[in-house]
């Protein structure tokens, strides 16, 4: 496929996306938030004394919200699989 914008021509490769439902991406994000939380735990005293304890709780919030996002993406994946199995809905 070609796109011409101004005096330039861009070729677009016909490549499928790697992660259609986002589950793997969200899983990686959740794990990274958890790793950051665990990595900051030994420094809790110092962070609290300097007024930066919110770093730890931000990591925990990211982990918790990521779990909700993971469940949402998994439900969406299951719904898409069911829709693909049943075919198009007749109106």
């Amino acid at each position: 496929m070609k796109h011409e914008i101004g005096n330039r021509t861009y070729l677009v490769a016909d490549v499928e996306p790697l992660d259609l439902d986002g589950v793997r991406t969200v899983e990686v994000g959740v794990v990274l938030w958890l790793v950051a939380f665990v990595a900051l735990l030994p420094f809790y005293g110092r962070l609290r004394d300097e007024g930066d304890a919110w770093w730890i709780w931000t990591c925990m919030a990211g982990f918790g919200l990521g779990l909700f996002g993971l469940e949402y993406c998994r439900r969406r994946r299951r719904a898409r699989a069911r829709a693909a199995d049943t075919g198009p809905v007749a109106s």
Side-chain angles (χ1 to χ4, degrees):
M1 172 185 286
K2 286 185 179 183
H3 290 289
E4 293 188 26
I5 301 174
N7 59 355
R8 294 182 182 210
T9 301
Y10 297 94
L11 298 176
V12 179
D14 188 25
V15 178
E16 292 293 320
L18 297 176
D19 188 11
L20 291 175
D21 50 27
V23 172
R24 187 178 318 139
T25 303
V26 175
E27 286 173 342
V28 169
V30 167
V31 169
L32 289 175
W33 280 116
L34 183 61
V35 167
F37 175 78
V38 171
L40 288 174
L41 277 179
F43 304 103
Y44 179 72
R46 184 190 301 174
L47 290 170
R48 185 188 61 227
D49 293 343
E50 294 177 9
D52 291 331
W54 62 269
W55 289 12
I56 291 178
W57 304 118
T58 299
C59 293
M60 184 51 68
F63 174 72
L65 290 173
L67 290 177
F68 283 113
L70 183 59
E71 181 59 25
Y72 174 82
C73 288
R74 286 180 177 166
R75 285 184 186 192
R76 187 177 67 191
R77 178 184 359 190
R78 287 191 298 266
R80 291 179 68 182
R82 278 193 307 269
D85 290 343
T86 60
V89 176
S91 307

